[in-house]
Amino acid sequence: MEIYKILVVDDEPDLCEGLKLNLEIEGYEADTAYSAEEALEMDLATYDLIMLDVMMGKMSGFEFARILKRNPATAHIPIIFCTAKNADDDMIAGLNLGADDYVTKPYNIRNILARIKSVLRRTERTGSGAQSQSAIMEQKKVEKPKNIIREEGLVIDLDQIVCTIDEVPVRMPRKEFELLSLFMSNPGKIFSREDILQKVWSDEVVVVNRVVDVNVTRLRAKIGKYGKLIVTRSGYGYGFKV
C-alpha cells in the first residue's frame, strides 16, 4: 500500500505539529516547515501534497505556490491552502495559482482530512502526482495514444493526461484538464455548475459555484483561441462547441 508524503507549511508551530500528528494517525508520512523559506530548503519534489498557509513571514504562501508551479519538478504537486484569509478574492487568487483546495481557519480536522483524501484520490486518478509533465511526454514517445479527442489543433490524450495545442504541450492543473476532458467528451451538451462540481470535484469537498467559474475562465485563457469553444449559457452552465 502506498504511503503518501505530505508537507505542512505554516508559521504556527502548534498548528503544524497538531496537523502532523493527525496525519500520521491517518497513516500518512508528514513533515513540517515553519516558513516558505524553510520549505524551499527541503526536497519538495518528494511530496505528494503540500498544505500551505498564506500569511507567513517574508514570503507569503501565494509567492511560495508561484515558485512551486514554475518549477517543472514540483508543478504537479497538489496544494491545499489553509489560511485565515477568508475573503472571496483571496480564495480566487489561491485557485488562480493552481491550488487544488482552499480551507479557511479555524477548521475542523475531520474536514481537513476528508479534503486531503479527496485531493490525493483525484491525483491518483489522473496520475499527475506520480509523474511530472516532462515524464508524461517521455512516456508518450514510446506509447501509442489510444484515447484522443481532437478539435482542430486542440488535442487531449485521455490515456497520457496530456493537452497539446498545435502539437505544443500545454501545462494545466488537474481540475482544468478534467474540465476540458468533460467538455470535449460531450460536445453540444450544457453542464450546470452543479453537474460540473459533481463530476470534477469530489462529493467530500465543499466548494461553491464560483470555483467552477474561476476554473472555466482560467481554462479558456490557457487554451488561447480555442477558449471561445467553451460556451456559456446564462442561467444554465457551460458546454463545448454547442
Side-chain angles (χ1 to χ4, degrees):
M1 179 179 177
E2 182 179 4
I3 298 178
Y4 291 103
K5 188 175 180 182
I6 299 174
L7 175 63
V8 181
V9 185
D10 198 300
D11 60 357
E12 298 182 51
D14 290 344
L15 186 150
C16 274
E17 295 307 317
L19 188 50
K20 179 177 186 292
L21 175 61
N22 279 280
L23 288 170
E24 290 174 343
I25 291 173
E26 290 294 310
Y28 300 110
E29 182 180 344
D31 293 323
T32 61
Y34 299 149
S35 69
E37 290 84 356
E38 180 183 347
L40 286 173
E41 298 297 321
M42 305 170 75
D43 188 2
L44 296 173
T46 64
Y47 291 96
D48 297 295
L49 185 145
I50 295 177
M51 310 288 297
L52 184 57
D53 189 19
V54 173
M55 297 180 291
M56 298 183 295
K58 294 182 179 179
M59 182 183 295
S60 72
F62 286 165
E63 294 175 276
F64 180 57
R66 290 189 187 97
I67 293 173
L68 292 177
K69 295 304 180 182
R70 284 198 298 261
N71 185 345
T74 57
H76 66 282
I77 302 174
I79 296 173
I80 298 179
F81 280 114
C82 296
T83 174
K85 293 176 72 66
N86 58 6
D88 286 346
D89 287 346
D90 295 320
M91 180 192 73
I92 293 169
L95 294 172
N96 278 332
L97 287 171
D100 293 78
D101 205 347
Y102 192 100
V103 185
T104 57
K105 300 176 183 177
Y107 52 74
N108 179 289
I109 190 62
R110 292 179 61 188
N111 179 276
I112 280 286
L113 293 173
R115 289 167 182 259
I116 290 172
K117 181 179 179 181
S118 175
V119 168
L120 289 174
R121 184 166 57 245
R122 293 196 302 268
T123 301
E124 185 178 49
R125 184 171 69 243
T126 62
S128 55
Q131 293 180 300
S132 66
Q133 189 79 0
S134 60
I136 291 173
M137 293 307 296
E138 286 299 317
Q139 185 180 16
K140 184 181 179 184
K141 294 177 183 178
V142 297
E143 291 186 5
K144 183 178 179 180
K146 299 177 181 178
N147 197 358
I148 289 178
I149 303 175
R150 182 188 303 271
E151 177 62 39
E152 298 181 2
L154 175 63
V155 180
I156 56 172
D157 184 336
L158 298 176
D159 291 331
Q160 300 298 324
I161 319 298
V162 172
C163 173
T164 59
I165 294 180
D166 299 328
E167 300 185 354
V168 178
V170 178
R171 300 184 66 102
M172 58 179 61
R174 287 179 304 281
K175 299 294 189 315
E176 292 176 18
F177 185 86
E178 291 178 7
L179 275 173
L180 185 58
S181 300
L182 177 65
F183 292 151
M184 292 185 68
S185 298
N186 299 274
K189 180 176 180 179
I190 294 295
F191 291 92
S192 69
R193 291 175 177 83
E194 291 74 17
D195 287 338
I196 295 172
L197 288 173
Q198 184 177 16
K199 293 177 183 298
V200 178
W201 278 265
S202 166
D203 292 337
E204 294 184 53
V205 180
V206 179
V207 291
V208 295
N209 287 343
R210 178 60 177 158
V211 173
V212 174
D213 300 334
V214 170
N215 279 271
V216 169
T217 299
R218 192 166 58 190
L219 175 59
R220 280 178 172 144
K222 191 71 64 70
I223 61 177
K225 63 182 181 181
Y226 297 104
K228 65 183 179 182
L229 298 178
I230 300 177
V231 299
T232 303
R233 287 292 180 264
S234 181
Y236 293 94
Y238 298 98
F240 187 80
K241 198 181 177 183
V242 177

PDB file of all heavy atoms in Angstrom, residues 220-234:
ATOM      1  N   ARG A 220     -10.154  28.785 -20.274  1.00  0.00           N
ATOM      2  CA  ARG A 220     -10.308  29.489 -21.552  1.00  0.00           C
ATOM      3  C   ARG A 220      -9.029  30.242 -21.916  1.00  0.00           C
ATOM      4  O   ARG A 220      -8.578  30.222 -23.064  1.00  0.00           O
ATOM      5  CB  ARG A 220     -11.471  30.466 -21.464  1.00  0.00           C
ATOM      6  CG  ARG A 220     -12.855  29.842 -21.643  1.00  0.00           C
ATOM      7  CD  ARG A 220     -13.926  30.892 -21.495  1.00  0.00           C
ATOM      8  NE  ARG A 220     -15.250  30.395 -21.829  1.00  0.00           N
ATOM      9  CZ  ARG A 220     -16.352  30.769 -21.203  1.00  0.00           C
ATOM     10  NH1 ARG A 220     -16.281  31.651 -20.199  1.00  0.00           N
ATOM     11  NH2 ARG A 220     -17.517  30.283 -21.561  1.00  0.00           N
ATOM     12  N   ALA A 221      -8.463  30.920 -20.923  1.00  0.00           N
ATOM     13  CA  ALA A 221      -7.236  31.677 -21.178  1.00  0.00           C
ATOM     14  C   ALA A 221      -6.087  30.740 -21.543  1.00  0.00           C
ATOM     15  O   ALA A 221      -5.256  31.057 -22.399  1.00  0.00           O
ATOM     16  CB  ALA A 221      -6.881  32.519 -19.952  1.00  0.00           C
ATOM     17  N   LYS A 222      -6.062  29.567 -20.908  1.00  0.00           N
ATOM     18  CA  LYS A 222      -4.961  28.627 -21.112  1.00  0.00           C
ATOM     19  C   LYS A 222      -4.947  28.065 -22.535  1.00  0.00           C
ATOM     20  O   LYS A 222      -3.871  27.799 -23.080  1.00  0.00           O
ATOM     21  CB  LYS A 222      -5.100  27.488 -20.099  1.00  0.00           C
ATOM     22  CG  LYS A 222      -3.892  26.561 -19.994  1.00  0.00           C
ATOM     23  CD  LYS A 222      -2.710  27.223 -19.331  1.00  0.00           C
ATOM     24  CE  LYS A 222      -2.982  27.591 -17.878  1.00  0.00           C
ATOM     25  NZ  LYS A 222      -3.096  26.492 -16.964  1.00  0.00           N
ATOM     26  N   ILE A 223      -6.126  27.874 -23.141  1.00  0.00           N
ATOM     27  CA  ILE A 223      -6.165  27.242 -24.467  1.00  0.00           C
ATOM     28  C   ILE A 223      -6.303  28.262 -25.603  1.00  0.00           C
ATOM     29  O   ILE A 223      -6.603  27.905 -26.734  1.00  0.00           O
ATOM     30  CB  ILE A 223      -7.278  26.177 -24.546  1.00  0.00           C
ATOM     31  CG1 ILE A 223      -8.658  26.791 -24.303  1.00  0.00           C
ATOM     32  CG2 ILE A 223      -7.007  25.053 -23.562  1.00  0.00           C
ATOM     33  CD1 ILE A 223      -9.805  25.779 -24.457  1.00  0.00           C
ATOM     34  N   GLY A 224      -6.067  29.528 -25.283  1.00  0.00           N
ATOM     35  CA  GLY A 224      -5.963  30.554 -26.318  1.00  0.00           C
ATOM     36  C   GLY A 224      -7.177  30.688 -27.207  1.00  0.00           C
ATOM     37  O   GLY A 224      -8.312  30.813 -26.734  1.00  0.00           O
ATOM     38  N   LYS A 225      -6.952  30.647 -28.512  1.00  0.00           N
ATOM     39  CA  LYS A 225      -8.038  30.880 -29.478  1.00  0.00           C
ATOM     40  C   LYS A 225      -9.144  29.827 -29.371  1.00  0.00           C
ATOM     41  O   LYS A 225     -10.264  30.056 -29.819  1.00  0.00           O
ATOM     42  CB  LYS A 225      -7.493  30.894 -30.901  1.00  0.00           C
ATOM     43  CG  LYS A 225      -6.879  29.583 -31.362  1.00  0.00           C
ATOM     44  CD  LYS A 225      -6.319  29.699 -32.776  1.00  0.00           C
ATOM     45  CE  LYS A 225      -5.727  28.380 -33.257  1.00  0.00           C
ATOM     46  NZ  LYS A 225      -5.163  28.490 -34.619  1.00  0.00           N
ATOM     47  N   TYR A 226      -8.827  28.663 -28.789  1.00  0.00           N
ATOM     48  CA  TYR A 226      -9.843  27.621 -28.643  1.00  0.00           C
ATOM     49  C   TYR A 226     -10.751  27.857 -27.435  1.00  0.00           C
ATOM     50  O   TYR A 226     -11.723  27.142 -27.238  1.00  0.00           O
ATOM     51  CB  TYR A 226      -9.168  26.253 -28.536  1.00  0.00           C
ATOM     52  CG  TYR A 226      -8.392  25.894 -29.776  1.00  0.00           C
ATOM     53  CD1 TYR A 226      -7.011  25.976 -29.796  1.00  0.00           C
ATOM     54  CD2 TYR A 226      -9.039  25.514 -30.945  1.00  0.00           C
ATOM     55  CE1 TYR A 226      -6.286  25.676 -30.942  1.00  0.00           C
ATOM     56  CE2 TYR A 226      -8.323  25.205 -32.100  1.00  0.00           C
ATOM     57  CZ  TYR A 226      -6.937  25.290 -32.087  1.00  0.00           C
ATOM     58  OH  TYR A 226      -6.243  24.996 -33.229  1.00  0.00           O
ATOM     59  N   GLY A 227     -10.399  28.866 -26.625  1.00  0.00           N
ATOM     60  CA  GLY A 227     -11.222  29.167 -25.463  1.00  0.00           C
ATOM     61  C   GLY A 227     -12.648  29.546 -25.840  1.00  0.00           C
ATOM     62  O   GLY A 227     -13.579  29.320 -25.073  1.00  0.00           O
ATOM     63  N   LYS A 228     -12.806  30.099 -27.049  1.00  0.00           N
ATOM     64  CA  LYS A 228     -14.153  30.512 -27.484  1.00  0.00           C
ATOM     65  C   LYS A 228     -15.064  29.311 -27.713  1.00  0.00           C
ATOM     66  O   LYS A 228     -16.287  29.463 -27.802  1.00  0.00           O
ATOM     67  CB  LYS A 228     -14.046  31.342 -28.762  1.00  0.00           C
ATOM     68  CG  LYS A 228     -13.515  30.578 -29.956  1.00  0.00           C
ATOM     69  CD  LYS A 228     -13.352  31.472 -31.170  1.00  0.00           C
ATOM     70  CE  LYS A 228     -12.795  30.692 -32.371  1.00  0.00           C
ATOM     71  NZ  LYS A 228     -12.587  31.568 -33.539  1.00  0.00           N
ATOM     72  N   LEU A 229     -14.479  28.112 -27.805  1.00  0.00           N
ATOM     73  CA  LEU A 229     -15.291  26.911 -27.994  1.00  0.00           C
ATOM     74  C   LEU A 229     -15.987  26.484 -26.710  1.00  0.00           C
ATOM     75  O   LEU A 229     -16.926  25.682 -26.743  1.00  0.00           O
ATOM     76  CB  LEU A 229     -14.424  25.763 -28.520  1.00  0.00           C
ATOM     77  CG  LEU A 229     -13.777  25.994 -29.893  1.00  0.00           C
ATOM     78  CD1 LEU A 229     -12.900  24.814 -30.272  1.00  0.00           C
ATOM     79  CD2 LEU A 229     -14.843  26.235 -30.955  1.00  0.00           C
ATOM     80  N   ILE A 230     -15.505  26.984 -25.577  1.00  0.00           N
ATOM     81  CA  ILE A 230     -16.195  26.729 -24.310  1.00  0.00           C
ATOM     82  C   ILE A 230     -17.235  27.826 -24.142  1.00  0.00           C
ATOM     83  O   ILE A 230     -16.900  28.982 -23.912  1.00  0.00           O
ATOM     84  CB  ILE A 230     -15.216  26.727 -23.123  1.00  0.00           C
ATOM     85  CG1 ILE A 230     -14.155  25.647 -23.315  1.00  0.00           C
ATOM     86  CG2 ILE A 230     -15.963  26.511 -21.803  1.00  0.00           C
ATOM     87  CD1 ILE A 230     -13.099  25.636 -22.218  1.00  0.00           C
ATOM     88  N   VAL A 231     -18.475  27.460 -24.283  1.00  0.00           N
ATOM     89  CA  VAL A 231     -19.550  28.448 -24.312  1.00  0.00           C
ATOM     90  C   VAL A 231     -20.274  28.515 -22.971  1.00  0.00           C
ATOM     91  O   VAL A 231     -20.279  27.567 -22.196  1.00  0.00           O
ATOM     92  CB  VAL A 231     -20.559  28.133 -25.429  1.00  0.00           C
ATOM     93  CG1 VAL A 231     -19.880  28.158 -26.778  1.00  0.00           C
ATOM     94  CG2 VAL A 231     -21.213  26.778 -25.193  1.00  0.00           C
ATOM     95  N   THR A 232     -20.875  29.654 -22.731  1.00  0.00           N
ATOM     96  CA  THR A 232     -21.666  29.878 -21.522  1.00  0.00           C
ATOM     97  C   THR A 232     -23.128  30.049 -21.907  1.00  0.00           C
ATOM     98  O   THR A 232     -23.439  30.804 -22.839  1.00  0.00           O
ATOM     99  CB  THR A 232     -21.200  31.154 -20.790  1.00  0.00           C
ATOM    100  OG1 THR A 232     -19.817  31.037 -20.482  1.00  0.00           O
ATOM    101  CG2 THR A 232     -21.992  31.350 -19.500  1.00  0.00           C
ATOM    102  N   ARG A 233     -23.999  29.350 -21.211  1.00  0.00           N
ATOM    103  CA  ARG A 233     -25.432  29.553 -21.367  1.00  0.00           C
ATOM    104  C   ARG A 233     -25.939  30.155 -20.065  1.00  0.00           C
ATOM    105  O   ARG A 233     -26.025  29.465 -19.051  1.00  0.00           O
ATOM    106  CB  ARG A 233     -26.143  28.230 -21.674  1.00  0.00           C
ATOM    107  CG  ARG A 233     -25.884  27.719 -23.080  1.00  0.00           C
ATOM    108  CD  ARG A 233     -26.527  28.606 -24.139  1.00  0.00           C
ATOM    109  NE  ARG A 233     -26.285  28.127 -25.501  1.00  0.00           N
ATOM    110  CZ  ARG A 233     -25.317  28.557 -26.289  1.00  0.00           C
ATOM    111  NH1 ARG A 233     -24.475  29.478 -25.830  1.00  0.00           N
ATOM    112  NH2 ARG A 233     -25.170  28.093 -27.507  1.00  0.00           N
ATOM    113  N   SER A 234     -26.223  31.455 -20.107  1.00  0.00           N
ATOM    114  CA  SER A 234     -26.614  32.183 -18.907  1.00  0.00           C
ATOM    115  C   SER A 234     -27.787  31.503 -18.199  1.00  0.00           C
ATOM    116  O   SER A 234     -28.815  31.203 -18.831  1.00  0.00           O
ATOM    117  CB  SER A 234     -26.982  33.623 -19.267  1.00  0.00           C
ATOM    118  OG  SER A 234     -27.335  34.353 -18.121  1.00  0.00           O
TER     119      SER A 234
END
